[in-house]
Structures are given as structure tokens and as C-alpha cells.
Amino acid sequence: MPAVRRALARFPEPVRFLLNKHRELIRFAVVGGTTFVIDNGIWYVLKLTVLESKPVTAKAVAVIVAVIASYVLSREWSFHTRGGRERHHEAALFFAVSGISVGLNLLPLWISRYALGLEQPSVTALTEHVADFVSGSIVGMLVATAFKYWAMRRWVFPEAGARPESGPRTLRTATARERRDVA
């Protein structure tokens, strides 16, 4: 029995049902968590080194790298059974939606820095870094993620079941009929 199925077997049936029902959202969240780490790792490296005076540019570079990783992970894992479009059309829509998401992600950071003036010397370095993190990594990411999940299902990967399920069934419990057929 695969490790994921063993782990899921420990949950009560109602929880397994919810995990199965929302597996696409859970996978989207895992991809989001992964790209969150990529985004923030690159952002802070750039912001604290070569792009110290340009935090919004540093964030834009980091988000773009994270978006590329997100496309690969979304297509091959999160939405692997969805589709309905030719690959080049799907990719173009993915990057268009992601471009809007980048703007939504950067907007709170821009407002924090330039409209509210939460940057040095007006505030302390600690206040600037906390405001950058809250506005750029939390508020911006939440707004962009909500939009992106909706838009991916609506436009980029519109048809559920367009591609066959491949590999082991991870978050799916076998039905009584399937258990009987195996036995």
C-alpha cells in the first residue's frame, strides 16, 4: 500500500471523503506552498543583495521565477486530469492569468512602500521589513492565489477529466466494488 494511502487510512471516513473531494484544491495549495518558498527565498536574496534599493523589482523577479515553477507543477500535478485546450493555448492562458496575479501580488507591496511610505528613513528597518513581508508575502499572495485558483479552473484548465488519471490513486479511497474486484 503506498505511503499516502496508508497515511489517509488513519483518518476517519468523513475526513478521507473531504480530502478526496478537495484533492485538487489541496494539490493547488501544496504547489502554492512550494512556490511561496521559491518566491520568498529569491525575493529576500535579491532584496538583501543586488536589488537592495529596488524591493518591488526584486519581488517581481522572484514571482516570475515562482510562476514558471507553478506552471510545471500545476499542469503535471495539481490539474493533471484537467485540460481541454491545446498545450500552447493552455500555457498562454496560464501565463496571462499569472501576469494578472503578479500585479495583484505586487499591488499591496507597492501601496505599503510608496502610498503609505513604510520605508526607511520614514520608519525603522524592522518596520520596513515587517511591512514588506505582510504586504508582499501575505496580503499580496492571498489575493493573487484566490484569483489564480478561480481563473485556472475557469479558463486555463476548464474541463475536468480531460486527461486520464495516471499513476497511483493518491487521495482516493477504493469503493466497495473496487475492493471486491481486487479481493
Side-chain angles (χ1 to χ4, degrees):
M1 180 185 277
V4 173
R5 290 181 71 192
R6 276 196 310 269
L8 288 173
R10 295 180 181 177
F11 290 101
E13 180 56 37
V15 174
R16 281 196 311 262
F17 172 77
L18 288 174
L19 290 172
N20 183 46
K21 182 178 178 184
H22 300 292
R23 71 177 171 232
E24 189 174 83
L25 177 61
I26 292 166
R27 287 177 175 191
F28 181 80
V30 170
V31 169
T34 302
T35 57
F36 179 82
V37 171
I38 292 169
D39 172 16
N40 284 294
I42 293 171
W43 181 34
Y44 276 98
V45 166
L46 293 175
K47 179 182 154 175
L48 298 174
T49 59
V50 296
L51 291 174
E52 187 175 9
S53 65
K54 298 183 181 292
V56 175
T57 302
K59 184 67 171 177
V61 169
V63 168
I64 289 167
V65 172
V67 164
I68 293 167
S70 177
Y71 175 67
V72 173
L73 293 171
S74 292
R75 184 177 200 296
E76 300 301 325
W77 192 56
S78 295
F79 300 109
H80 71 281
T81 62
R82 296 180 75 86
R85 303 194 185 283
E86 293 180 26
R87 186 172 238 174
H88 68 279
H89 189 219
E90 179 184 272
L93 286 170
F94 184 94
F95 288 107
V97 165
S98 295
I100 294 168
S101 295
V102 168
L104 291 172
N105 194 316
L106 293 174
L107 186 61
L109 176 60
W110 187 90
I111 290 169
S112 172
R113 276 290 181 118
Y114 305 118
L116 300 177
L118 296 175
E119 62 181 330
Q120 293 181 34
S122 302
V123 297
T124 66
L126 178 62
T127 301
E128 177 183 278
H129 291 300
V130 169
D132 283 356
F133 182 77
V134 170
S135 62
S137 294
I138 296 179
V139 176
M141 185 70 70
L142 287 174
V143 170
T145 299
F147 166 76
K148 194 171 181 181
Y149 182 71
W150 172 78
M152 291 298 155
R153 290 177 52 91
R154 173 81 169 98
W155 292 309
V156 181
F157 306 109
E159 293 179 29
R163 294 184 288 198
E165 180 90 30
S166 61
R169 288 175 271 170
T170 53
L171 291 178
R172 185 170 176 247
T173 57
T175 65
R177 181 178 177 204
E178 290 170 329
R179 285 191 296 267
R180 190 174 55 246
D181 290 344
V182 171

